[in-house]
Amino acid sequence: MNEYVIAKYIRLSRDEAVSDSLSILNQRALLDRYIEQSEILYTNVLEFVDNGYTGTNYERPGVQEMLDLVRSRKVNCIICKDFSRFGRNILETGYFIEQVFPLFGVRFIAVTDSYDSSEYKGGTGGIDVAFKFLIHEYYCKDLSKKVKSAKHIKMINGESITANAIYGYRKNETGNWEIDKDSADVVRLIFKMALEGCKTSKICDALCDAKHLVPSGYKSESRGKSVESDCLWSSMMILRIIRNEQYIGTYIAGRHVREVVGLNRPTAVDESEWIKIPNHHPAIISKEDFDKVHVKYMRKKHTKPRQTRDYLLLGKIFCGCCHRALTYSTSKKPVFRCLHTYADPNAECHKMKTSVRELDSMVMSIIRKQAEVILNSEGMADCRNLSAVEQGIAECENQIRQHMERHQNYYEHFILHEIEKSTYQSLKDECTGQIGKLNTQLALLKQAECEKQNNQKKAMIAKEALSITEAEMFKEVVDSLVEKIIVFPGNQIEIKWKVSDFAT
């Protein structure tokens, strides 16, 4: 890589949005000022922002995009305000700073923590850095406990802790729920049809014919956002509404809890532990009507344990028209169905289905054909020479080390006045030039190593795919190769591969 690229990383969580000192604009201004005043010679500056994401994990789009560039050796230096902006988890943050970044030759700078990895070559920053990691992680856990405690008190008092009201209501200026006429009329229509004994599929059809937007589309439209007309209701949407006690004026909170700090998926709480306050807000549906509907559509308790579905393409099949996941339907001849557009007969994928057996057969056939192409390609002939590349990398690293030791010796002779400054400068420039050439050679060798390792991986998977008979379910091969399978009308499919360049 000829250019020197700096990556600015900025993060702000929802809980920190109240602090001006941590705002996106202030972080950006701080980093820009640092870069301008530093002696770093750069050719390009990239910016990555995660607004509203916790620092306790790395499931953030901005940081993942930046790390992908690091792995591709397209970033030379990362600059952030402090360690906590990059991450609050001591183990993961330490792993990146101490292991990953040095491996890819990336310099890491935390401005307000006065940390620059270039000053700690061969080290990790000492006990000061370790204590800062611990403080940031403890702060996050302590803040989480305080936030949970404050939210629990609000729930007991019947205060709204969610940003939005449910479909049928809206928040007024004081933060209380009031009836939203348009959406409330749709809720009343749903309950009216349910009282008349209509099936959920018939209710969906009626709402679709009347062009009533689904709750998410209605919420976006009410905020002034331009959205595509989405009137495709599903039975699950209907059931969520007719089973929700909040429509009779009952306040409900505490249905989910996050046991671990930074855990994205909350854990469901048993209904007996929910916080319920009757007559909390205006009711859209009377309790008598709600009870009648609830008896008809009450949840069926499963007396037998549910059987887990373990079929070959689990979680990988998507519709090429509406881009939703296809539903697996069990029968004598299992099929994948597109249920999202079931209520819209004009949709291109309306009632689209594909046989599971035919789909499995097509995927197997494509994988085998692609495996044969890979094993017969010219690139596979070179993957056996990986040891020669590894030997070249070791030799380059050894020569770089020797030149660095030689430079250190020249410096010691200069300090002891055994050589003149001009002589030392000449010898130093020679060492620096040689190290620069070797680093360029090393980068090319490591790129070649990466390509050969990828080829070896593809060859290994290809051989495994060809060695499996049709009678076997080669789920492991599919899981290692296939990201998703997109199905189009007419049984046309497109495969998105996990392994890079597998389809070439």
Side-chain angles (χ1 to χ4, degrees):
M1 181 170 54
N2 297 324
E3 60 179 3
Y4 192 92
V5 178
I6 294 177
K8 297 186 300 181
Y9 181 70
I10 299 170
R11 182 186 67 82
L12 188 71
S13 66
R14 285 189 295 269
D15 295 331
E16 295 168 329
V18 295
S19 174
D20 291 337
S21 63
L22 292 175
S23 71
I24 299 294
L25 293 176
N26 286 335
Q27 288 186 58
R28 181 180 292 121
L30 174 71
L31 299 183
D32 288 341
R33 185 165 59 251
Y34 180 87
I35 293 171
E36 290 174 3
Q37 295 175 356
S38 69
E39 298 179 356
I40 303 174
L41 299 176
Y42 60 89
T43 54
N44 193 13
V45 177
L46 306 177
E47 182 178 283
F48 302 90
V49 179
D50 283 318
N51 194 357
Y53 289 87
T54 178
T56 55
N57 61 59
Y58 284 86
E59 296 176 12
R60 298 170 249 151
V63 81
Q64 286 299 324
E65 183 182 356
M66 182 177 69
L67 292 175
D68 286 341
L69 293 180
V70 168
R71 297 184 188 101
S72 303
R73 300 184 183 276
K74 295 179 180 179
V75 169
N76 302 90
C77 178
I78 294 174
I79 299 179
C80 56
K81 179 181 178 290
D82 53 41
F83 289 120
S84 70
R85 297 304 93 205
F86 182 67
R88 291 187 182 276
N89 185 298
I90 184 172
L91 295 177
E92 289 191 77
T93 304
Y95 169 72
F96 279 110
I97 294 175
E98 298 171 8
Q99 302 292 330
V100 176
F101 295 159
L103 176 65
F104 290 96
V106 175
R107 181 180 178 182
F108 182 83
I109 299 173
V111 177
T112 58
D113 283 330
S114 301
Y115 176 84
D116 187 341
S117 62
S118 65
E119 299 175 1
Y120 296 99
K121 290 183 178 178
T124 59
I127 195 169
D128 290 344
V129 172
F131 269 118
K132 285 174 181 176
F133 282 154
L134 287 171
I135 290 170
H136 290 316
E137 187 165 9
Y138 175 78
Y139 165 80
C140 191
K141 291 181 179 179
D142 184 57
L143 178 65
S144 175
K145 290 179 182 177
K146 291 178 180 177
V147 170
K148 283 182 180 178
S149 177
K151 283 185 176 180
H152 187 71
I153 293 172
K154 284 188 173 184
M155 287 188 289
I156 293 174
N157 294 333
E159 297 181 43
S160 178
I161 60 170
T162 57
N164 304 296
I166 62 170
Y167 183 74
Y169 292 93
R170 64 186 175 196
K171 277 190 172 184
N172 57 24
E173 295 177 355
T174 60
N176 296 320
W177 286 13
E178 62 181 20
I179 295 176
D180 177 68
K181 183 181 181 306
D182 293 338
S183 56
D185 287 343
V186 178
V187 173
R188 293 188 185 100
L189 175 61
I190 291 172
F191 274 88
K192 179 177 179 294
M193 295 185 69
L195 282 168
E196 293 171 355
C198 297
K199 293 183 179 180
T200 55
S201 58
K202 186 175 180 180
I203 298 175
C204 291
D205 292 341
L207 297 179
C208 182
D209 292 340
K211 302 298 181 184
H212 290 302
L213 291 172
V214 298
S216 59
Y218 182 82
K219 181 169 66 176
S220 298
E221 188 181 70
S222 62
R223 290 178 176 177
K225 295 181 179 179
S226 57
V227 292
E228 293 183 7
S229 178
D230 187 357
C231 305
L232 298 174
W233 290 74
S234 67
S235 295
M236 186 55 66
M237 294 179 190
I238 303 299
L239 290 173
R240 286 197 194 105
I241 289 175
I242 61 182
R243 290 173 177 170
N244 194 338
E245 288 185 58
Q246 294 178 97
Y247 289 111
I248 61 174
T250 302
Y251 173 88
I252 299 177
R255 290 183 292 185
H256 300 88
V257 64
R258 283 184 172 84
E259 299 291 347
V260 181
V261 177
L263 188 67
N264 284 337
R265 291 187 179 180
T267 304
V269 176
D270 188 80
E271 188 172 351
S272 61
E273 299 179 21
W274 293 0
I275 296 173
K276 293 186 178 183
I277 304 175
N279 303 318
H280 174 267
H281 51 265
I284 296 176
I285 305 299
S286 67
K287 189 175 187 307
E288 293 76 17
D289 288 346
F290 180 84
D291 290 339
K292 290 177 184 178
V293 171
H294 192 258
V295 170
K296 293 182 179 180
Y297 295 92
M298 65 186 299
R299 293 181 178 88
K300 294 181 180 179
K301 294 184 178 180
H302 297 274
T303 55
K304 296 181 180 180
R306 293 182 178 181
Q307 295 181 349
T308 57
R309 297 172 180 174
D310 187 23
Y311 45 89
L312 178 63
L313 303 173
L314 175 65
K316 297 180 183 292
I317 313 300
F318 293 84
C319 176
C321 301
C322 65
H323 311 296
R324 304 296 181 104
L326 297 188
T327 302
Y328 180 80
S329 299
T330 55
S331 58
K332 291 183 179 180
K333 294 182 180 181
V335 295
F336 285 106
R337 300 179 185 272
C338 182
L339 298 182
H340 178 64
T341 56
Y342 201 83
D344 184 8
N346 297 320
E348 190 177 359
C349 53
H350 176 64
K351 292 188 177 182
M352 184 183 75
K353 65 179 181 179
T354 182
S355 165
V356 170
R357 182 175 296 180
E358 290 180 10
L359 192 59
D360 288 351
S361 178
M362 283 191 289
V363 173
M364 292 178 187
S365 175
I366 291 172
I367 289 178
R368 286 198 176 91
K369 288 179 180 178
Q370 193 56 44
E372 291 174 357
V373 172
I374 286 175
L375 291 176
N376 293 329
S377 66
E378 296 180 0
M380 292 300 107
D382 299 332
C383 68
R384 300 188 187 91
N385 301 327
L386 183 59
S387 59
V389 176
E390 293 173 344
Q391 185 177 352
I393 290 173
E395 181 63 27
C396 269
E397 290 175 342
N398 184 47
Q399 290 184 33
I400 290 172
R401 189 163 46 250
Q402 289 177 1
H403 282 294
M404 292 178 69
E405 291 174 356
R406 193 174 293 118
H407 172 247
Q408 182 65 27
N409 289 334
Y410 293 150
Y411 180 73
E412 291 175 0
H413 287 310
F414 170 65
I415 292 298
L416 295 173
H417 303 288
E418 295 177 359
I419 59 175
E420 297 293 331
K421 182 178 180 179
S422 59
T423 304
Y424 164 70
Q425 190 65 45
S426 176
L427 293 171
K428 174 190 171 184
D429 292 343
E430 182 183 350
C431 286
T432 304
Q434 290 296 326
I435 291 172
K437 291 179 181 178
L438 287 168
N439 275 327
T440 302
Q441 185 179 349
L442 181 63
L444 293 173
L445 285 170
K446 286 187 174 181
Q447 183 179 356
E449 179 189 35
C450 184
E451 291 176 356
K452 291 181 184 296
Q453 286 177 345
N454 188 41
N455 285 341
Q456 280 190 336
K457 181 180 179 181
K458 289 196 293 184
M460 181 181 67
I461 296 174
K463 288 179 181 178
E464 186 178 352
L466 289 175
S467 66
I468 296 175
T469 63
E470 279 198 32
E472 295 176 347
M473 297 291 282
F474 57 121
K475 184 173 176 59
E476 290 184 6
V477 174
V478 172
D479 284 341
S480 61
L481 280 177
V482 178
E483 180 69 32
K484 64 167 63 174
I485 298 165
I486 303 172
V487 180
F488 298 90
N491 264 8
Q492 299 295 315
I493 68 170
E494 177 186 346
I495 298 179
K496 300 289 185 182
W497 304 98
K498 279 185 180 179
V499 179
S500 60
D501 301 328
F502 188 80
T504 59

